[in-house]
Amino acid sequence: MSEPGTPAETEAVAGMSGPDGPLLRLFRDRRVAFLFVGAINTAIGFAWFVLFSFLFRRGWPDADWTVFAVIVCAQITSTLSAFVFYRRLVFRVRGHLWLDFFRFQLVYLGTFVLNLVVVPPLKIWLGWHEIVAQFLFTFVIAVVSWFGHSRFSFHRKQEDTP
């Protein structure tokens, strides 16, 4: 929390700082708002995975390659929505849109590559259902993204904060 006399908008949470977003009316603590949106983003990302899994299974029921397509499609849709939610609901940062987006995507690039390396072998070689494999891997994504965003995404130097 910010100290008395210090504007709340300069307080950094998870490396992000900026004016309060609308969720700060509901949650007085940015950390709680950040975790709340993170939980929603995790659920939405998993829902995208399930949706794309269902769609690809209907089109190509016996094709192993579809797990790769499902991961790619879910990655694109979930990171786009996550970026918008963090940027609009928790931190009302201005400027640096493309830089923030690039840095945000870099954090998820690592989990994306890990996802492509871990989940398909669990499905193809070990016979796991891809939704179960992805569900378990979602916890890895959540931990890695927390640390990535806490030290990188939307980070502003004190003098850059509007």
Side-chain angles (χ1 to χ4, degrees):
M1 299 302 297
S2 57
E3 295 183 35
T6 305
E9 66 184 42
T10 62
E11 179 184 346
V13 174
M16 300 183 211
S17 61
D20 292 342
L23 275 183
L24 271 291
R25 290 185 208 114
L26 178 62
F27 302 110
R28 299 274 183 224
D29 189 329
R30 280 181 180 224
R31 295 167 294 198
V32 174
F34 181 81
L35 292 173
F36 178 76
V37 171
I40 289 172
N41 286 335
T42 300
I44 289 171
F46 185 69
W48 279 117
F49 186 91
V50 170
L51 174 68
F52 286 117
S53 180
F54 173 77
L55 292 174
F56 278 96
R57 285 288 138 234
R58 292 205 32 140
W60 299 273
D62 297 323
D64 286 337
W65 64 265
T66 59
V67 69
F68 294 99
V70 169
I71 291 170
V72 169
C73 292
Q75 176 76 15
I76 291 167
T77 53
S78 65
T79 60
L80 288 173
S81 62
F83 178 76
V84 170
F85 288 161
Y86 276 127
R87 190 169 167 93
R88 289 291 176 198
L89 297 179
V90 179
F91 302 98
R92 284 281 182 114
V93 294
R94 291 182 295 273
H96 304 293
L97 174 69
W98 293 109
L99 178 61
D100 288 347
F101 183 72
F102 177 74
R103 289 164 50 156
F104 190 84
Q105 292 300 328
L106 279 178
V107 168
Y108 284 111
L109 180 62
T111 59
F112 173 61
V113 170
L114 280 173
N115 206 347
L116 286 171
V117 169
V118 172
V119 173
L122 291 174
K123 177 194 178 350
I124 296 167
W125 295 333
L126 298 180
W128 290 28
H129 193 284
E130 64 193 34
I131 293 174
V132 172
Q134 183 63 37
F135 179 75
L136 294 175
F137 193 73
T138 296
F139 295 103
V140 173
I141 294 170
V143 170
V144 170
S145 64
W146 167 262
F147 285 105
H149 295 314
S150 70
R151 290 165 174 80
F152 193 61
S153 298
F154 301 125
H155 182 73
R156 298 284 192 270
K157 294 178 186 171
Q158 194 66 23
E159 62 270 10
D160 286 348
T161 305

